[in-house]
Amino acid sequence: RKEVEQDPGPFNVPEGATVAFNCTYSNSASQSFFWYRQDCRKEPKLLMSVYSSGNEDGRFTAQLNRASQYISLLIRDSKLSDSATYLCVVSNNAGNMLTFGGGTRLMVKP
Amino acid sequence: DTAVSQTPKYLVTQMGNDKSIKCEQNLGHDTMYWYKQDSKKFLKIMFSYNNKELIINETVPNRFSPKSPDKAHLNLHINSLELGDSAVYFCASSQARDIFYEQYFGPGTRLTVT
């Protein structure tokens, strides 16, 4: 089993749609979780951290379910500019290293 | 103004050659990283340095040798390049070694070994 698993997609959605991605992780001792965004042929950039209580940043909502070891990202009112690959990222036990999932590709169409 | 810069952006070379990639950050960060992103888009940590000291070495072949002359620079030298080394190499930096701190990535170096 991969340490961090994501559906690679692509998810093709129309503008204005709500879309959700899930990610599962294998290390139950992981303490920190993030979503990064990577545009085509660009570097990854932090989208948001994921807190135990869940957190929201504008149209983006992240949730963590420790019991089931999965993380979700919800995007509301999708924009064309949201088209990118979304990387689920999990820390190791020691909290000094990040493990990246393979990413979920989102394509928002007009 | 670029926070994390890498050179070169593209590198095409033949098997068996030795090449270097340079990375510089002007953010005043203490910690720097090298990641490899393969054709399947998985991004994997290779090395991490904190204040010029190696703190993570993720079972990377000895042909890869990082060097940090100061905390703003982390270079990657690769000996005897192999076809499997073809990938995008990203440098990153963070304020400190704790992963709570956001990692800022450079634009990547696309290495093609023929």
Side-chain angles (χ1 to χ4, degrees), chain A residues 27-45:
Chain A
N27 184 356
S28 59
S30 294
Q31 293 295 319
S32 300
F33 310 89
F34 309 89
W35 284 101
Y36 273 70
R37 171 193 167 130
Q38 186 172 23
D39 292 323
C40 189
R41 301 180 78 86
K42 298 285 190 181
E43 71 273 21
K45 292 183 180 177

Side-chain angles (χ1 to χ4, degrees), chain A residues 2 4 31-32 34 36 38 41-46 49 87 91-92 95-103, chain B residues 10 33 35 37 40-43 45 48 55-56 58 90 97-103 105-108 110:
Chain A
K2 291 191 186 116
V4 181
Q31 293 295 319
S32 300
F34 309 89
Y36 273 70
Q38 186 172 23
R41 301 180 78 86
K42 298 285 190 181
E43 71 273 21
K45 292 183 180 177
L46 179 66
S49 302
L87 305 171
S91 71
N92 64 345
N96 64 353
M97 199 167 81
L98 298 177
T99 299
F100 285 74
Chain B
Y10 299 96
Y33 311 82
Y35 285 89
Q37 188 168 40
K40 294 184 179 177
K41 306 300 183 188
F42 279 92
L43 196 63
I45 183 81
S48 174
I55 54 172
I56 292 173
E58 275 298 291
F90 287 100
R97 60 197 295 174
D98 193 314
I99 49 82
F100 289 116
Y101 293 99
E102 179 177 353
Q103 293 188 16
F105 285 78
R110 190 170 295 272

Side-chain angles (χ1 to χ4, degrees), chain A residues 49-102:
Chain A
S49 302
V50 186
Y51 304 122
S52 295
S53 54
N55 49 301
E56 189 173 308
D57 183 1
R59 298 180 293 107
F60 299 83
T61 301
Q63 297 277 357
L64 168 64
N65 184 321
R66 285 189 186 273
S68 302
Q69 292 179 218
Y70 81 77
I71 307 152
S72 64
L73 177 67
L74 181 79
I75 306 175
R76 288 181 297 278
D77 188 23
S78 299
K79 312 288 184 194
L80 294 176
S81 58
D82 294 333
S83 297
T85 296
Y86 292 83
L87 305 171
C88 176
V89 186
V90 175
S91 71
N92 64 345
N93 297 23
N96 64 353
M97 199 167 81
L98 298 177
T99 299
F100 285 74

